[in-house]
Amino acid sequence: MTRLSRFFDLVLIAGFLAGLLFPLLVLRGHSTSVTEKRALAPLPSWPASAEELMTFPSTFEKWFDDHFGGRHRLVQAYHLMALALGSSGTPRVLVGSKGWLYYTDPNDGNNVEDYRRTDPLTPQELERWRLVLETKASWLKSQGIAYLFLVVPNKHTIYPEYYPSRIRVRGERSRLDQFMDAMHGSDVPVMDLREPLRQAKIFGPLYHKTDSHWNALGAALAANLILEKLGSLDPGIHGRRFGVDDFSWHSTPGGDLARMLSLSSLLREVRVPVIRPGRLRCAPKVPEQVLDAEDPDLVITTCRSEGKSAVVFRDSFFTGLRPFFSEHFTRTVYTTALPEIDTLEQFVRMYAPDVVLEERVERYLKVLPKAPDSSSEPYRALLEARRPRALNVP
């Protein structure tokens, strides 16, 4: 064996050993994964009993699988290869046409079946919705508070043209169609943004291609409609309209769906609307105060020196809408707490709002509200409102 061949053998052995040792030498110490949106397995403590010794190998393996060196790059390469084949490496993301991605987590709203209209709301579920919303609206009216229930359309509802053609619509009515039918004739003010947003698509993209949410332009146009509706319920609320000229267009890293694929740096958003300087009264940012350190989503904003106040029960879609909404109120309290009737009472007692807005994205219509307690004050207010009045016959 020549000296040169020995050298190459040593290099090969060293490279093999380095490949084995690299994942151990470059262990990651993160506790959460931003791309996978989950907590990573913690490092298990040294076993102190025979029972812990039995489970130690499996818990250590889970920790190592989440933290070994180079894991992120390998995951990124896997998703990039899947995307090149027109597929997705995770069940939470669906690859559409022309670079559009859709959120499809089966455990979070069952979006695909909602698109196919094969998982409708039952008559009992629709009746639950109507009863709960009428209970809230009746009680708030008795307190002199305006109430509005807002449904934000799913991304695939506004942009079905980029949804994979292999997934076909089977049913006749969507859950939102059912919901709006069930609320027809009710005194509860309910907003359906589907048709206005479809018509506004001519002004530019309203939802992000690589994110599950609408963009700032979509949120601003929705704010126009919301403030107009609230003004019809409370004449003291005066909204101003935002338009395309209030925005400039920029390129940014990919959104939450791109991050789920570990590809946010590669799948960029090339047309992102950003509000122009000076267009917001509370520019450059609405003053925000976190009310509870244990719940950072409980936030209060202050803008106007005088005017109305509001409480908003929201999900993540209202984050983009917040700057356009907050500037119309002297104080707005935002919470992601589930707006059950007892929670609603609590927030009204604490903050005495003039307006209560409840927002829910379309896919969460399947998450039913809790039925009202028949002995609660809001439910009694509903019964009183429904009680026939005696006719004053002379």
Side-chain angles (χ1 to χ4, degrees), residues 43-57 59:
L43 177 66
S45 58
W46 192 255
S49 65
E51 183 179 355
E52 291 180 0
L53 183 62
M54 294 294 292
T55 61
F56 181 79
T59 54

Side-chain angles (χ1 to χ4, degrees), residues 8-52:
F8 281 115
D9 286 344
L10 290 174
V11 171
L12 181 62
I13 294 172
F16 178 74
L17 292 175
L20 291 177
L21 294 175
F22 177 79
L24 291 172
L25 297 175
V26 197
L27 289 169
R28 301 174 66 209
H30 300 159
S31 59
T32 60
S33 170
V34 176
T35 58
E36 298 173 74
K37 289 191 173 183
R38 68 176 180 89
L40 300 177
L43 177 66
S45 58
W46 192 255
S49 65
E51 183 179 355
E52 291 180 0

Side-chain angles (χ1 to χ4, degrees), residues 264-292:
S264 60
S265 60
L266 300 176
L267 302 179
R268 295 184 63 84
E269 289 278 348
V270 295
R271 290 198 69 200
V272 178
V274 177
I275 192 72
R276 293 182 185 275
R279 301 302 172 97
L280 290 172
R281 294 194 182 105
C282 294
K285 183 179 179 181
V286 177
E288 298 180 354
Q289 176 187 355
V290 177
L291 300 180
D292 187 344

Side-chain angles (χ1 to χ4, degrees), residues 49-153:
S49 65
E51 183 179 355
E52 291 180 0
L53 183 62
M54 294 294 292
T55 61
F56 181 79
S58 61
T59 54
F60 180 84
E61 182 180 12
K62 291 178 181 178
W63 170 79
F64 181 76
D65 288 345
D66 276 354
H67 296 271
F68 68 83
R71 179 181 184 275
H72 174 72
R73 294 300 181 190
L74 290 174
V75 171
Q76 187 179 54
Y78 167 73
H79 286 299
L80 194 60
M81 291 172 56
L83 190 65
L85 298 173
S87 183
S88 171
T90 170
R92 296 182 297 165
V93 179
L94 189 66
V95 178
S97 62
K98 297 186 178 180
W100 283 74
L101 303 177
Y102 293 87
Y103 184 58
T104 57
D105 192 334
N107 300 315
D108 189 18
N110 203 359
N111 264 338
V112 173
E113 297 309 314
D114 186 28
Y115 174 82
R116 300 178 72 238
R117 301 179 180 179
T118 55
D119 186 22
L121 294 166
T122 67
Q124 294 77 17
E125 290 172 332
L126 292 167
E127 180 59 29
R128 168 81 67 83
W129 268 114
R130 179 164 177 141
L131 175 62
V132 170
L133 294 189
E134 288 184 344
T135 300
K136 293 177 182 178
S138 177
W139 181 70
L140 288 170
K141 184 178 180 180
S142 71
Q143 305 296 311
I145 300 171
Y147 174 64
L148 177 63
F149 186 85
L150 168 70
V151 182
V152 175

